[in-house]
Amino acid sequence: MGTLGLILVALGVILVSILWKKMMVLLWRPYVLKKRFKEQGVSGPEYKFRSGSFVEVRRLEDEAREIELDVNSHDILPKVAPYYYKWANQYGGTFVYWVGPIPNLCVTDAEHVKQVLSNKFGFFAKPKVTGALLSLLGKGLVLTDGSEWARHRRVVSPAFTMDKLKVMTKQMAECAQSMIETWNIQMDSTNNEQKAIEVNKQFQELTADIISHSAFGSSYIEGKEVFTAQQELLMLTLASFNGSVSETKINKHKQRLDKKMRNTLLSIIENRMNSKDSLGYGNDLLGLMLESTEKQEGTGLNTDEIIDECKTFFFGGHETTSELLAWTTFLLSTNQEWQVKLRDEVVKECGREIPKADNLSKFKLMNMVLLEALRLYPPVPMIGRVAANDVKLGDIMVPKGTAVSIPFIVIHRKKELWGEDADKFNPLRFENGVTKAAKHPAAMLAFSVGPRACIGQNFAMLEAKTVMATILQRFSFTISPEYKHKPVTLLTLQPQDGLPIIFKPLVY
Ligand code: HEM
């Protein structure tokens, strides 16, 4: 055989080995894994070559986009999670579907969920994130794992203790007051007794304002610039997911926005380090984080890591809390008797005065309503993990590399856990606290449970109580006839076409 012949044979061997590897990944492995799950009683939709369940997921999501629900219905799964709804009905609460050739195990059994989220021995890791989403969040608390995560959490936690957060409620109330001032001006100028306001957008602006103040104190204007850039990056990321903007365009913008965010944050941090006084670095999240990192003796965070945590606060704490406010306002608009009860509670506790931190802990009914809103409309409707090793989940052997998804929104509606009225708005189920509200103590998952539970949950609850109390003191409100009940997941659970609410000033 001549040289050419040898080259052709070598190329042939390489080609066959590449094809062989592809076949293993795209055909053989999914076949074997599907069989292995089936033998353990876990089934699900067919695996389609290369695309897995993607085409079916897209089709069901497209159909669901048009669904409009009755305004009093909280039976939102066919609209919000159509493929979970379909497959859970067909295959039971635990089923496997396919993200390309990767199996995705959907878990809704409360004990299984608890096991995944307790993440003993690091068996269930966070999914790897790259590209625009990584720039958006940085390698902050949300994305790190293992000892890196533990080091970050150690530094960040002291900023979220109740005594530190209580100091921030004054600022939260001031931001809420200033939003309400603008509503009052709009009403005065039109001489109207009542006015429809699209609150979803308003709450997004308000929570951006609050997190900017709480994170950066007096530097909040520069801080807000960072968050605006981050918001822009989020929009680009979402556009890249649905393919409406090209990768090249996204990368160009990404670099520009990244640079802008980094430079602004760097300058805020440097200024703060230079202005340390006898009281420390200040009582905002940044100041508390700098103080905490200084105490860690060599295991604290460096400037880049602090920058990433600042990005994480906004990403984690902005839209989530604004959606909690939006769905609570929606539920109080459609359940007037609860609106009256909450107003009575607020007025009894603090009259028309600005609510203070100590008042907030006495808002028992308000707490129950917020929890019920988080149950029925969890701002983070589902989360994911990846099996880092072959691991036993209850009786199921889960192979390494399997994605695991935990749809909170489904678990929050399981009748076995919440009773026959699981789809109904009933805040009283939380009368004896979160752990006693359902048949399993960890059935309420809006802030997740276990070591990776939301670090900002007390912050979010204080913020929501402050804002709702401020609104209830001044207005009665009803849902606008323009409202279309179409919840949708766009990272967080949102009203698809906004949330117009009719506000009427209260006369005392
Ligand atoms: C209603 C409001 C909120 C909801 C529903 C919510 C929900 C969640 C959930 C479900 C997780 C777990 C994610 C996972 O493990 O994959 C989480 C984690 C996290 N949240 Fe929140 N969150 C809210 C508000 C906030 C706020 C206000 C902040 C900060 C100011 C914040 C910061 C974080 C951070 C840093 C993590 C990661 C914690 C870790 O992994 O150690 N969140 N949140």
Side-chain angles (χ1 to χ4, degrees):
M1 199 184 298
T3 318
L4 183 64
L6 281 174
I7 292 174
L8 285 176
V9 169
L11 282 176
V13 170
I14 292 171
L15 195 68
V16 167
S17 104
I18 291 174
L19 279 175
W20 176 252
K21 273 195 193 138
K22 279 237 174 256
M23 281 302 140
M24 290 295 280
V25 171
L26 294 176
L27 214 60
W28 182 245
R29 197 173 138 77
Y31 169 78
V32 171
L33 292 181
K34 190 167 169 53
K35 192 160 164 279
R36 211 181 286 170
F37 274 118
K38 200 156 192 180
E39 282 161 5
Q40 304 183 76
V42 180
S43 52
E46 278 308 309
Y47 166 71
K48 295 271 163 50
F49 184 67
R50 283 170 72 106
S51 62
S53 315
F54 177 77
V55 176
E56 179 73 342
V57 167
R58 260 284 154 88
R59 188 184 65 75
L60 291 167
E61 280 187 339
D62 284 347
E63 278 173 19
R65 204 154 293 131
E66 300 312 315
I67 299 176
E68 183 178 343
L69 301 165
D70 183 279
V71 81
N72 290 308
S73 166
H74 308 305
D75 187 8
I76 63 174
L77 293 182
K79 166 84 180 88
V80 174
Y83 53 102
Y84 282 102
Y85 179 72
K86 180 177 173 193
W87 293 330
N89 279 335
Q90 218 168 326
Y91 307 109
T94 309
F95 61 86
V96 68
Y97 68 101
W98 300 87
V99 179
I102 309 286
N104 192 319
L105 184 71
C106 172
V107 176
T108 57
D109 175 274
E111 268 307 306
H112 290 174
V113 170
K114 196 173 132 200
Q115 191 193 329
V116 173
L117 294 177
S118 74
N119 192 28
K120 285 221 173 82
F121 314 112
F123 283 157
F124 292 101
K126 287 260 176 158
K128 287 273 165 291
V129 168
T130 52
L133 204 53
L134 184 61
S135 304
L136 197 62
L137 276 172
K139 291 207 87 187
L141 261 185
V142 171
L143 294 187
T144 42
D145 250 323
S147 56
E148 267 302 277
W149 165 78
R151 187 170 62 87
H152 278 249
R153 184 109 183 180
R154 225 175 11 252
V155 171
V156 178
S157 292
F160 286 90
T161 54
M162 212 37 161
D163 57 327
K164 303 284 188 228
L165 296 179
K166 277 184 170 180
V167 179
M168 296 176 202
T169 56
K170 186 164 178 279
Q171 186 60 61
M172 292 174 182
E174 280 172 23
C175 293
Q177 293 286 337
S178 121
M179 176 185 76
I180 281 185
E181 285 312 311
T182 64
W183 293 3
N184 278 332
I185 292 167
Q186 288 177 41
M187 282 177 201
D188 285 351
S189 68
T190 50
N191 243 345
N192 263 345
E193 292 216 325
Q194 55 183 41
K195 184 165 171 63
I197 295 176
E198 198 289 278
V199 294
N200 197 43
K201 184 100 199 316
Q202 293 279 312
F203 287 148
Q204 287 186 356
E205 281 168 19
L206 172 66
T207 53
D209 213 25
I210 290 179
I211 193 72
S212 308
H213 276 94
S214 312
F216 300 118
S218 57
S219 327
Y220 80 94
I221 293 180
E222 299 95 299
K224 211 166 170 190
E225 271 173 35
V226 174
F227 292 155
T228 313
Q230 202 177 10
Q231 190 73 14
E232 223 179 296
L233 204 51
L234 174 64
M235 291 305 151
L236 280 174
T237 309
L238 287 177
S240 78
F241 289 161
N242 66 24
S244 62
V245 182
S246 77
E247 279 291 324
T248 335
K249 192 166 174 201
I250 289 174
N251 282 338
K252 223 167 105 193
H253 274 298
K254 186 174 94 55
Q255 278 168 9
R256 183 180 55 81
L257 291 171
D258 253 354
K259 202 164 155 199
K260 182 173 171 185
M261 286 200 282
R262 198 186 132 72
N263 287 345
T264 314
L265 284 170
L266 207 57
S267 128
I268 298 176
I269 292 169
E270 274 166 6
N271 283 342
R272 191 65 72 87
M273 307 264 270
N274 294 335
S275 61
K276 184 185 179 192
D277 60 20
S278 57
L279 297 172
Y281 292 105
N283 268 332
D284 50 34
L285 293 174
L286 173 62
L288 295 167
M289 217 165 37
L290 288 175
E291 204 161 292
S292 160
T293 207
E294 205 170 74
K295 288 187 188 146
Q296 298 291 323
E297 292 176 355
T299 59
L301 302 183
N302 62 34
T303 308
D304 279 322
E305 289 169 331
I306 299 230
I307 287 182
D308 283 352
E309 287 308 343
C310 292
K311 293 185 191 172
T312 300
F313 291 156
F314 186 69
F315 183 82
H318 163 229
E319 218 172 271
T320 45
T321 319
S322 90
E323 294 317 323
L324 168 59
L325 289 170
W327 292 118
T328 306
T329 307
F330 162 74
L331 288 166
L332 290 178
S333 301
T334 47
N335 292 275
Q336 289 290 320
E337 71 289 6
W338 276 96
Q339 189 184 133
V340 171
K341 280 187 203 176
L342 257 57
R343 184 172 299 108
D344 288 351
E345 182 178 71
V346 170
V347 171
K348 184 164 164 253
E349 190 52 44
C350 46
R352 289 199 77 193
E353 297 297 309
I354 295 173
K356 296 194 183 64
D358 288 339
N359 301 129
L360 302 180
S361 58
K362 299 196 180 120
F363 293 163
K364 302 282 179 228
L365 294 176
M366 168 97 79
N367 199 47
M368 288 185 227
V369 167
L370 290 171
L371 290 172
E372 185 67 340
L374 285 165
R375 183 184 74 85
L376 287 170
Y377 297 88
V380 179
M382 58 189 81
I383 61 169
R385 294 289 188 267
V386 175
N389 290 295
D390 287 348
V391 54
K392 205 105 201 268
L393 183 59
D395 289 336
I396 308 166
M397 175 52 80
V398 182
K400 178 178 173 178
T402 302
V404 177
S405 54
I406 305 174
F408 298 158
I409 197 156
V410 175
I411 301 163
H412 285 179
R413 287 173 162 76
K414 285 181 88 174
K415 292 204 164 75
E416 307 94 278
L417 290 171
W418 298 94
E420 280 310 305
D421 70 346
D423 270 333
K424 300 270 171 308
F425 173 72
N426 174 16
L428 287 176
R429 71 177 85 244
F430 287 103
E431 205 167 8
N432 298 314
V434 173
T435 51
K436 301 232 170 68
K439 297 216 172 77
H440 191 284
M444 174 64 180
L445 291 157
F447 290 113
S448 188
V449 292
R452 302 297 300 249
C454 179
I455 202 169
Q457 54 185 296
N458 288 334
F459 183 105
M461 291 299 274
L462 288 177
E463 180 174 352
K465 285 180 193 173
T466 306
V467 174
M468 289 314 302
T470 312
I471 295 175
L472 284 160
Q473 282 172 320
R474 280 158 186 78
F475 302 99
S476 64
F477 45 95
T478 49
I479 195 93
S480 157
E482 302 293 311
Y483 173 67
K484 293 186 172 59
H485 195 31
K486 295 166 100 178
V488 68
T489 306
L490 302 166
L491 282 192
T492 53
L493 183 69
Q494 310 205 2
Q496 191 170 300
D497 301 328
L499 177 56
I501 298 285
I502 298 176
F503 288 93
K504 194 168 179 196
L506 290 168
V507 182
Y508 284 89

